[in-house]
Amino acid sequence: MNVLEIKNLDVTTPAGVKVVSGVSFSIAPGARLGLIGESGSGKSLTALAVIGLLSSQLKASGSVLLGDLNPQEILGAPERMLNTIRGKVASIIFQEPLTALDPLMKIGRQLAEPLRRHQGISGDALESAIIEALTEVRITNPARIAQSFPHQISGGERQRAAIAMALACQPSLLIADEPTTALDVTVQSEVLALLDSIVSERNMALLFISHDLAVVGQITDSVVVLKDGVVVESGSLQEIMADPKHPYTQDLVKNARVLDDALNIAKDGK
Amino acid sequence: MNQVKSRRSWSLIVGLVIISTITLVTLISLVWLPYPIDNTDGGRLSPPSWSHLLGTDKLGRDLVARLMVGARIALSVGFSAVLIAGIVGLTLGMAAGFAQRWLDESLSALLDILIAFPTLLLAMLIVAARGSSLTSAIFAIGLGMSAIIARLTRLLVKRVLAKDFITASRASGTSWPRIIVLHVLPNIWPTLIVSFALQFGLAGLAEASLSYLGLGAPPPNASWGSLLQEAQATVMTSPIAAIAPGLFLVALVIGVNLIADGLREIADPTLRRSR
Ligand SMILES: Nc1ncnc2c1ncn2[C@@H]1O[C@H](COP(=O)(O)OP(=O)(O)OP(=O)(O)O)[C@@H](O)[C@H]1O
Ligand SMILES: [Mg+2]
């Protein structure tokens, strides 16, 4: 059974525009999938649909089944049922860690909320679970970070804290919506490496969203290419790199190649 | 950082000192006044003396006694009106902020009407229904204030709900009641508290204009606002009768605002950094 199974997902705006149309893909337990597409292609809406967080103004139809042991239909499900799934079966990391954290709440307290709810702990046990969670995402000074407000720590630390929150309820599927786009390049690769190792250690499934084929290539082995809300191509990364069928994918591959070559030239020049 | 911190606690401390003094005067007025409030033995418009520290008004009533009763009225009008606005305004505002479109739109229309409706007219209607008393004035002021607080609350709630951290919190399975307690209330509070403080001060002024029209506290009780207006005619001969209530009114407004400012900076850590 798959941990996520999307069939014929349509998302329609109040104006009647189909911004996601006929999207289908699935992820097996422990598998990784890259969802790639340009800005406005419907990547984030697809991710939100997966955990039932589409704005009420948007109409979604089709089917989203979440969970491998006991798959549940997400579309049209009541909030109460969704709350039992969110965080535990699937959780999500957002692009901009500054806005994804409450500015008025210390990192430790924000992290405490899902930990407390999921593990039913409090007091000292909760305190040490917070430190442990921050350590797992390789924050070097967990005690200080736990006592800090989001504006007092660096962008990389914020994204690590957000990852720790997403991991708190031990989800079987992690959705990462452009988790490194807002970070600078060195921090980007650290966060990617972190995600890579945590996802393997915990044996989680990963849906990694990006507009950058090179970034997706570092962390997943198969991809779905989205353009204007439609899946134009999907398959293993190797297949797509070797023989892109759709003109948009050909462009993506060409650009990734150019970047690659530039990097190689730079390396050889040294 | 330390400098900023001390400045913040200063505003809170000064504000608390001012408001505690006014509260103390109010408490004393309940058990002791230098003269009964309707005692007119002091002679008309007598200047300050040992027997009448701030002199008397044009009917011969002791000004200190009248100011002390005025403190009582200022505080009870302020607190009661803010309490009404806190309950009615916050509830309506939260409801509109969370509501689906049609309910939100009808609530907003109702609030717009209430805000456009002058407090004075509202007060006249309430007085017509319940008779003239301080309570009627408080209801009128409180209801007018509720509309303002409700509209602000609605706006603040909508703004917070659109933030990514609400989506992130929902994505981790937090229920709505919990989100309201953890994220919505703390995030709207810093702005609301300042508005409440402003309204608290304005309530005193609103009561003064209602008293002026005979819609407020019935004589011989008088708010600082009405003392100020009574003293207008004789301001040249006895300026102290206008200056004293004026100073108290200003002190009340400043005191409440200082407290609000201090509380706001405690509630919002992002303000502590760079100011
Ligand atoms: N609430 C909404 N109402 C109407 N249209 C919306 C709404 N949310 C998103 N859209 C539209 O849907 C389309 C897809 O949006 P989405 O956020 O999924 O894009 P994306 O692929 O994530 O882009 P980006 O890479 O910039 O994040 C966009 O054209 C966007 O304008
Ligand atoms: Mg997006």
Side-chain angles (χ1 to χ4, degrees), chain A residues 48 51 53 56-57 79 83 86-87 90-92 94 99-105 109 113 116-117 149 151 169, chain B residues 100-101 163-165 167-168 170-176 178 182-183 186-187 190 267-270 272-273:
Chain A
L48 290 174
I51 63 179
L53 276 180
S56 55
Q57 297 162 9
E79 191 79 5
N83 277 341
R86 291 175 183 152
S91 71
I92 187 164
F94 294 94
T99 55
L101 295 167
D102 187 335
L104 303 189
M105 229 172 150
R109 271 194 65 212
E113 185 59 24
R116 185 186 56 75
R117 191 157 7 98
F149 290 100
H151 72 268
C169 299
Chain B
Q100 296 295 320
R101 188 181 291 171
K163 296 264 163 120
D164 286 352
F165 60 81
T167 313
R170 291 183 66 201
S172 70
T174 317
S175 64
W176 273 120
R178 195 83 188 126
L182 279 180
H183 301 297
N187 273 282
D268 187 349
T270 56
R272 286 178 221 163
R273 188 170 42 164

Side-chain angles (χ1 to χ4, degrees), chain A residues 127-137 142:
Chain A
E127 293 306 311
S128 54
I130 292 170
I131 300 295
E132 202 178 298
L134 289 174
T135 314
E136 189 188 3
V137 293

Side-chain angles (χ1 to χ4, degrees), chain B residues 229-253:
Chain B
Q229 273 157 341
E230 282 173 23
Q232 234 176 27
T234 56
V235 69
M236 288 312 190
T237 43
S238 80
I240 190 83
I243 291 170
L247 280 181
F248 275 102
L249 207 51
V250 169
L252 178 73
V253 174

Side-chain angles (χ1 to χ4, degrees), chain B residues 54-100:
Chain B
L54 290 175
T56 60
D57 69 0
K58 60 187 175 209
L59 294 179
R61 295 177 291 198
D62 180 59
L63 204 60
V64 174
R66 301 205 80 198
L67 282 170
M68 287 174 74
V69 173
R72 187 154 84 204
I73 293 172
L75 285 188
S76 47
V77 170
F79 275 118
S80 325
V82 163
L83 191 70
I84 292 175
I87 295 168
V88 180
L90 275 184
T91 312
L92 282 180
M94 295 280 283
F98 274 97
Q100 296 295 320

Side-chain angles (χ1 to χ4, degrees), chain A residues 40 42-45 95 177-178 209:
Chain A
K43 306 183 296 293
S44 295
L45 292 183
Q95 173 170 346
D177 188 355
E178 309 207 36
I209 297 175

Side-chain angles (χ1 to χ4, degrees), chain A residues 21-25 35 224-234:
Chain A
S21 139
V23 167
S24 303
F25 61 81
L35 181 59
V224 167
V225 182
L226 208 56
K227 178 150 179 21
D228 300 329
V230 180
V231 175
V232 293
E233 198 150 355
S234 63

